[in-house]
Amino acid sequence: MNQCFSRVDPRCLNPVVITLDSLTKVFPAPGGGDPVVALGGIDLHLDAGRIHGIVGRSGAGKSTLIRCLTGLEKPTSGRVEVGGTDIAALDGSALRAARRNIGMVFQHANLLDSRTAAQNIAHPLEIAGVPRAERERRVAELVELVGLTGREHNHPAQLSGGQIQRVGIARGLAAEPKVLLCDEPTSALDGGTTRQILGLLKDLRERLGITIVIITHEMGVVREVCDTVTLLEDGRISQTGDLLDVAGDPHGPLSGELIPLPPAPTGIDAVLVNCDYGQTGRFRTTEDLIRLAEAHGAHASIVAGIIETINGRQVGRVQLALRNHDDKPISPEGLAAFLTELDAEGVVAKEVTA
Ligand SMILES: Nc1ncnc2c1ncn2[C@@H]1O[C@H](COP(=O)(O)OP(=O)(O)OP(=O)(O)O)[C@@H](O)[C@H]1O
Ligand SMILES: [Mg+2]
């Protein structure tokens, strides 16, 4: 069996598969104004065998970063190492060879309409000059790998959006890359199909040990599949780290987007406190918070909340309404003691003021 399709222990691969070192990209302004700093000094290490999310507003530099990673764009300065090779320093045939380590998946697979699914998957192998027998064997493996068995002879017009994206993923994997770069891979799909495609990407990571980088604006995608997340703002990294750390850091810019607290009802006659828990300390569940409130003579009810399980760990953000047992709002002293104890337990808690 081809090595690409055996189960690979990610720890056996290069431990840091992608290293960006002081990466900058400055475009001359069209029309001669100030140059545009698309990437203003990016330092980033992405481990092998993991799924990395890159998020950021429009114009933050995501596509420029991807284009530098694929060697389509030459950086103004800095290193772009993929699997130990500095892509930025290569040209011509050496660059083409290095680019085989990198597969691409796009929002729209842009398949050739005149070709079947199998023929679309075979296309990059034909261009690379892979002999016919080898090509057919590999396409058959890829069809099975991405769950297209029975559909391989369909033309794109006879495939659903999810099946078309499966063809796009198989095509991205054809050259047995070390890294699969996915640019908004699910943005054109409905919710159910998105989950299926994300399930496929997770499965590929497990089966192939491949490193996946996903550019997305969908926080649900990040929550569902990413091990790490990096936020780009104006060409710079403003937050990066393991998903659990980033989601559970209420002071960071991404936490509120990854775990947004839904709006609470208005006009509640109680002291309202927002609590972020689960990241550090002993407090792991909302019951812990409610029990602590009880210990301070207060009854806590949850008026808004969101609880996500990330890498097997609950991370929650809730709004509690605190009342004394005579149904009056908790006293200032009781509240201060409750907040102090929460703080000592690693729960970030803040009274909501009008
Ligand atoms: N070829 C170019 N020439 C001049 N400026 C460019 C060029 N390519 C990108 N830029 C500028 O660089 C900045 C980053 O663009 P980029 O396309 O990387 O953003 P993005 O994060 O991918 O945005 P989006 O989410 O809208 O796709 C923008 O200000 C953009 O206008
Ligand atoms: Mg873009």
Side-chain angles (χ1 to χ4, degrees), residues 5-351:
F5 294 104
S6 56
R7 269 183 192 273
V8 178
D9 181 343
R11 285 166 300 188
C12 298
L13 300 174
N14 185 350
V16 176
V17 78
I18 297 176
T19 302
L20 305 177
D21 196 359
S22 305
L23 173 65
T24 69
K25 179 69 194 181
V26 181
F27 291 108
D34 288 339
V36 179
V37 180
L39 298 174
I42 303 280
D43 294 303
L44 189 62
H45 303 275
L46 302 179
D47 289 343
R50 304 187 86 196
I51 302 182
H52 305 278
I54 295 181
V55 298
R57 289 209 184 87
S58 184
K62 305 181 297 296
S63 293
T64 307
L65 184 66
I66 282 265
R67 290 171 67 80
C68 288
L69 272 172
T70 57
L72 284 171
E73 199 78 72
K74 274 260 177 256
T76 306
S77 62
R79 287 174 67 82
V80 181
E81 253 186 46
V82 178
T85 305
D86 183 6
I87 298 276
L90 301 178
D91 281 305
S93 59
L95 178 59
R96 279 195 295 281
R99 288 180 64 189
R100 282 191 209 114
N101 281 329
I102 303 160
M104 281 293 300
V105 174
F106 304 95
Q107 178 175 356
H108 300 286
N110 295 330
L111 303 183
L112 298 168
D113 291 336
S114 59
R115 287 174 162 242
T116 64
Q119 289 165 344
N120 268 286
I121 297 169
H123 195 221
L125 299 171
E126 285 169 27
I127 292 171
V130 175
R132 188 189 181 97
E134 165 70 8
R135 225 163 52 212
E136 286 177 355
R137 187 188 62 73
R138 183 142 182 78
V139 169
E141 285 176 337
L142 286 161
V143 163
E144 192 269 315
L145 187 71
V146 301
L148 276 174
T149 306
R151 301 281 175 204
E152 58 270 50
H153 303 303
N154 287 28
H155 283 82
Q158 301 163 320
L159 295 170
S160 68
Q163 288 163 344
I164 285 174
Q165 196 52 301
R166 285 172 194 268
V167 177
I169 291 170
R171 193 183 49 188
L173 291 171
E176 301 183 48
K178 290 193 176 98
V179 178
L180 190 65
L181 300 179
C182 306
D183 196 352
E184 299 280 1
T186 58
S187 300
L189 304 176
D190 63 42
T193 313
T194 291
R195 275 190 294 281
Q196 287 172 13
I197 292 296
L198 295 178
L200 172 62
L201 291 175
K202 266 202 258 191
D203 185 48
L204 292 171
R205 188 268 303 271
E206 291 300 315
R207 291 173 71 176
L208 310 179
I210 195 167
T211 308
I212 298 179
V213 180
I214 300 181
I215 287 198
T216 183
H217 69 276
E218 297 171 295
M219 290 298 158
V221 169
V222 175
R223 276 199 304 268
E224 190 142 339
V225 290
C226 291
D227 300 304
T228 75
V229 59
T230 298
L231 172 65
L232 283 186
E233 274 182 309
D234 294 331
R236 292 181 183 276
I237 292 175
S238 59
Q239 196 177 18
T240 185
D242 277 8
L243 180 61
L244 182 61
D245 295 337
V246 169
D249 171 12
H251 305 296
L254 269 176
S255 174
E257 291 189 51
L258 284 164
I259 309 184
L261 184 66
T266 52
I268 297 172
D269 183 23
V271 173
L272 299 174
V273 175
N274 284 349
C275 299
D276 297 303
Y277 66 89
Q279 169 57 13
T280 56
R282 286 187 300 122
F283 279 36
R284 303 283 165 85
T285 66
T286 45
E287 285 74 23
D288 291 332
L289 305 179
I290 290 167
R291 264 196 296 275
L292 186 68
E294 291 286 341
H296 287 276
H299 172 73
S301 55
I302 299 167
V303 290
I306 177 167
I307 298 167
E308 290 284 347
T309 302
I310 295 176
N311 299 334
R313 179 97 182 247
Q314 260 192 10
V315 180
R317 173 160 293 156
V318 293
Q319 187 168 104
L320 300 178
L322 300 172
R323 295 185 182 86
N324 279 332
H325 289 297
D326 58 6
D327 221 24
K328 295 280 181 331
I330 185 175
S331 69
E333 298 75 30
L335 175 65
F338 177 60
L339 293 179
T340 303
E341 208 159 327
L342 285 177
D343 185 51
E345 294 294 347
V347 176
V348 177
K350 200 164 178 283
E351 184 181 359

